[in-house]
Amino acid sequence: DGVGVDGFIGRGHCKVLEFIINPLFMKFQRKMLQEALRLAGRSVCYLEVDLQQSVPPIFRDMLQVAPRRPPALKKKQRQPPKVASFFKVEKVVDEEEVKREERQKMIAERSQSALSMITKKLLSEHKIQVNARVVVVGASDAGLSFLESLLSIPHVHFSSLTLLAPGGLEYRHSHHLPLVAGSAAYSHNELRRVMLELRVRVLNARMIDIDRQGKHVHIVASSEGDIQESLVPYDYLVIGAGLQDDALHALKIRSCGVEYVTKDFRRVNGAMSAADPKIKEELVEGGTFIKSLIWNPLSYAVVYGRSLNAYCVVQGLLMRKVP
């Protein structure tokens, strides 16, 4: 996104395979990479990071290339032959179909890695350090895209970005069967390739109050059954909780997965909200609730509402063999 491809010849590109540096010289790694490009006669440097392996320290000084979805190519129907005969029928190899299969295979391989780049010009320019404390509440599409836009600015480095994401990022629950409507802007692979957890402090906590005078938010988190309250200071606060189910909130009821119950609210056994960050863990396949719904004839599952999440919950229960 920061390179004009027409301005660089093919031999001016290079790829970093391994990058190891003594921690004592970590602050000089930009200068060392710039000198390496000069000696090699290269202009652009790429780094492809496997999501399953460790990330080299030079990753934080490079500009990450935003993951892009492949274009949906319209499948062209083959014209029927002018003369139809079953005598000596030969299998016709469609070149477009072969190219399409190769492209899908390449996309599947590249979806497990993230791409970063840097140019000699960007290495020679000073990167502005922004130490303002930015706190984003909610891992919705708006909150994630806001953080991604901040991290994609080539001349600015944000050193204190915090994301409050109850339940963690969505791809952490990808091993479960789908239950609620997911993100419309980020698939699990795309969210992994953004690599937020390496550049943003992600807190598995819920905000319960805002102190605008003291400029901090009250959060609550549970660790092994213990509820812990703490404060997170901020200079800029961005509320991006997204669209949430409000049916239980209107009845003054807290969902089963929410440990902290505020004043004038109560908990009803079995009542869950689609916005509950632990709903996938509570309704895990083979869990207590699912076994009770399957084998106990006196147990029933009632889904209230006609939103997209309500239809997704019904489909998710059917996938879990709930009659």
Side-chain angles (χ1 to χ4, degrees), residues 250-322:
L251 299 174
K252 302 291 184 179
I253 297 175
R254 277 286 178 257
S255 182
C256 293
V258 180
E259 296 85 358
Y260 185 83
V261 180
T262 54
K263 187 179 179 181
D264 299 332
F265 279 76
R266 58 194 174 94
R267 195 190 305 275
V268 177
N269 188 24
M272 300 182 187
S273 171
D276 192 336
K278 293 188 177 181
I279 186 173
K280 292 184 179 180
E281 298 178 5
E282 297 288 343
L283 298 180
V284 64
E285 49 274 18
T288 304
F289 281 106
I290 297 299
K291 286 183 178 179
S292 176
L293 291 173
I294 294 176
W295 302 109
N296 190 352
L298 300 179
S299 296
Y300 298 93
V302 178
V303 180
Y304 173 78
R306 57 180 182 179
S307 62
L308 178 60
N309 271 330
Y311 292 115
C312 290
V313 169
V314 172
Q315 180 65 25
L317 292 176
L318 293 176
M319 294 176 65
R320 289 162 173 80
K321 311 299 181 183
V322 176

Side-chain angles (χ1 to χ4, degrees), residues 31-291:
K31 186 64 177 178
M32 296 176 68
L33 184 59
Q34 182 182 6
E35 288 299 309
L37 289 176
R38 184 184 66 83
L39 295 174
R42 307 299 181 184
S43 304
V44 185
C45 178
Y46 297 97
L47 174 65
E48 191 172 0
V49 179
D50 192 345
L51 302 179
Q52 306 299 329
Q53 298 179 1
S54 60
V55 180
I58 195 64
F59 167 78
R60 291 176 176 81
D61 289 325
M62 304 187 77
L63 181 64
Q64 189 172 9
V65 179
R68 297 176 179 177
R69 295 185 178 181
L73 303 178
K74 186 177 180 181
K75 194 172 181 179
K76 185 179 179 180
Q77 295 184 355
R78 189 173 58 186
Q79 297 294 333
K82 297 181 179 180
V83 179
S85 174
F86 292 99
F87 179 70
K88 294 183 179 180
V89 177
E90 297 181 358
K91 185 178 179 180
V92 180
V93 179
D94 192 354
E95 296 182 359
E96 294 184 359
E97 187 69 25
V98 173
K99 292 181 180 179
R100 189 179 296 107
E101 292 178 358
E102 293 178 354
R103 180 179 177 82
Q104 293 299 329
K105 183 179 178 180
M106 182 188 67
I107 292 173
E109 294 175 353
R110 292 296 179 90
S111 63
Q112 302 300 323
S113 60
L115 182 65
S116 302
M117 53 76 60
I118 196 70
T119 63
K120 264 199 311 189
K121 181 181 178 181
L122 292 177
L123 286 172
S124 60
E125 295 177 353
H126 179 67
K127 210 168 188 178
I128 302 174
Q129 186 82 6
V130 178
N131 296 321
R133 298 165 296 184
V134 181
V135 177
V136 179
V137 180
S140 63
D141 291 346
L144 295 176
S145 60
F146 171 76
L147 287 173
E148 186 182 4
S149 63
L150 291 183
L151 295 172
S152 61
I153 301 176
H155 305 289
V156 180
H157 174 69
F158 293 89
S159 60
S160 181
L161 295 176
T162 304
L163 173 65
L164 300 182
L169 295 178
E170 188 177 353
Y171 66 82
R172 293 291 182 183
H173 308 281
S174 59
H175 58 282
H176 294 304
L177 290 175
L179 185 63
V180 294
S183 171
Y186 297 92
S187 64
H188 289 169
N189 281 334
E190 289 174 346
L191 193 55
R192 284 192 185 96
R193 292 165 64 186
V194 175
M195 305 180 78
L196 279 179
E197 292 177 319
L198 293 176
R199 301 180 290 173
V200 178
R201 184 175 62 154
V202 181
L203 300 180
N204 183 4
R206 179 181 295 273
M207 182 185 68
I208 58 175
D209 195 12
I210 303 176
D211 187 352
R212 291 179 173 83
Q213 298 295 330
K215 279 201 166 185
H216 58 259
V217 295
H218 296 257
I219 64 172
V220 58
S222 62
S223 176
E224 298 180 355
D226 297 332
I227 300 177
Q228 301 176 355
E229 295 187 29
S230 58
L231 303 177
V232 177
Y234 69 87
D235 295 316
Y236 299 95
L237 181 64
V238 180
I239 306 295
L243 186 63
Q244 305 252 346
D245 178 57
D246 196 39
L248 293 183
H249 184 79
L251 299 174
K252 302 291 184 179
I253 297 175
R254 277 286 178 257
S255 182
C256 293
V258 180
E259 296 85 358
Y260 185 83
V261 180
T262 54
K263 187 179 179 181
D264 299 332
F265 279 76
R266 58 194 174 94
R267 195 190 305 275
V268 177
N269 188 24
M272 300 182 187
S273 171
D276 192 336
K278 293 188 177 181
I279 186 173
K280 292 184 179 180
E281 298 178 5
E282 297 288 343
L283 298 180
V284 64
E285 49 274 18
T288 304
F289 281 106
I290 297 299
K291 286 183 178 179

